[in-house]
Amino acid sequence: MKTALNERFLYFMTILRGQTNYTVGNNDYNSPTFRKLLDSLQQQSWELELIISGFAIFGLFTAYEPLRIEMINAQNEDQIYRFVVYFILNIACSILLFNLLLHVVLRGLWIGALGLRYVSGDIEFERLRYSERFTKYLKKRIISFDRYIANLENYCSVLFAISFLLIFYVLAMTMIILSIILVANYILESDVLPEAAASIIGGILILFIIFGMFLTFIDFITQGWLKKRKWVSRIYFPIYWVFSFLTLSFLYRPLVYNFLDNRFGKKLTLLLTPIYIAILMLTSLEYRQSNYLDKEQRSSSMFAKKDNYWDMMTEEGDFPGRMVIPSKVISQPYLQVFVPFSENLENRVFAFNDSLTPKEDRRGLSSSIKVNSNWSDEITSLRQKDSIRKKYLKTFNEMYSFRIDTLDMDEDFIITTAMNDILGFETYLKISQLKEGKHLIRLRRKRKEKDSIVTVSDAILPFWYFKN
């Protein structure tokens, strides 16, 4: 393998230095030398395609599962920005894997067809001795074996290029979604602008983005219909100009129009669209084994889900549920209970004790780089944070309590990190007074409703207690 790669490298260096007299740094695309170089390279581009596809497929298969796990963890922890990033990366990884695997299969078929042509040449329909009707039909449909090889070559080359173009389309969609989020966060909810001005400016910008996104999508689906009509193109041009920067299309625009001015590229693009939709539908299918039983339901008096028991979370990517205990069977006179932290949990704390609500919500993406030359101010800030953390934990302990069967329990939580460095709250309950057998533990939470405080059950777990 290494020898073959070295030979390929020497071949391309020969093209660069000897056959074309190409000077490094000479990028004049109008010069005959540069065009001759490109013509020489494109004749052997299939080898580079296979090398790149092979390395890319290996890397994508390696990265796919960690990306999926990080996406699930971000969703469980209610980290919206992190979830969006990993969701987009997961989609891009899936698209590239499908396209590159299809490209390798078609390239393999192309190489096999070339080998067969070397052995048997073109198709000789007369030697097959079919009836006249079948002979005419096959000649009309196949025409020649060389045409079949040429079509395979076109499909492979276009598919390889469009694989990476689709990633830019995913990036463009992400940029539009982020633009809407940024307008909503920094204009509609801005404390700098007056409320009326923020609502008007923010509303206009969001409507412009949504309207422009709709027109851009229509233009993409119709392959440039809005650009062909004079009166429509005058309205669409300023929107197109803005969205060319918003979607970063200036980075890949030459590729797009190279596809659109080629009939074969258009045909393949239209063919891949329903294929992607079909794959999306197929991946959403699932087989139901029962009319009533479902393994995705929450733990209850009748069902025990594995994400509520530490010893059952053995797979990488398993994330704890709303409440976690060590096992279904407890033999110790105490019960460890862990409640994982999430942004929704913090919102509940703020709703219960509004004095903890910060003036500026610092959750979300932020930089860890801090510039502060005044050490006394930093020490004062740390002391204030410690004081607020104590109040935060006190409020959490006021909100949450336990009930095992009919026995109420109220133990103090502490802040800790559990398995896989998951932040949360932990406490230990004394259960030596319980009878042996099955029990139900309920995590109970107080919440404010108008002028009253009500208690609700956040989680219910079954467990069995047997003394040593």
Side-chain angles (χ1 to χ4, degrees), residues 208-221:
F208 174 78
I209 293 172
I210 294 174
F211 181 69
M213 177 179 64
F214 176 74
L215 288 181
T216 305
F217 180 73
I218 294 296
D219 189 61
F220 169 74
I221 292 295

Side-chain angles (χ1 to χ4, degrees), residues 330-352:
I330 305 297
S331 57
Q332 302 294 332
Y334 58 86
L335 178 64
Q336 177 192 14
V337 184
F338 179 78
V339 177
F341 173 81
S342 67
E343 287 191 19
N344 280 338
L345 188 148
E346 184 159 289
N347 292 334
R348 292 169 186 162
V349 172
F350 291 164
F352 190 81

Side-chain angles (χ1 to χ4, degrees), residues 97-108:
L97 266 177
F98 171 77
N99 281 8
L100 293 178
L101 284 172
L102 182 60
H103 169 261
V104 169
V105 171
L106 291 178
R107 272 296 176 196

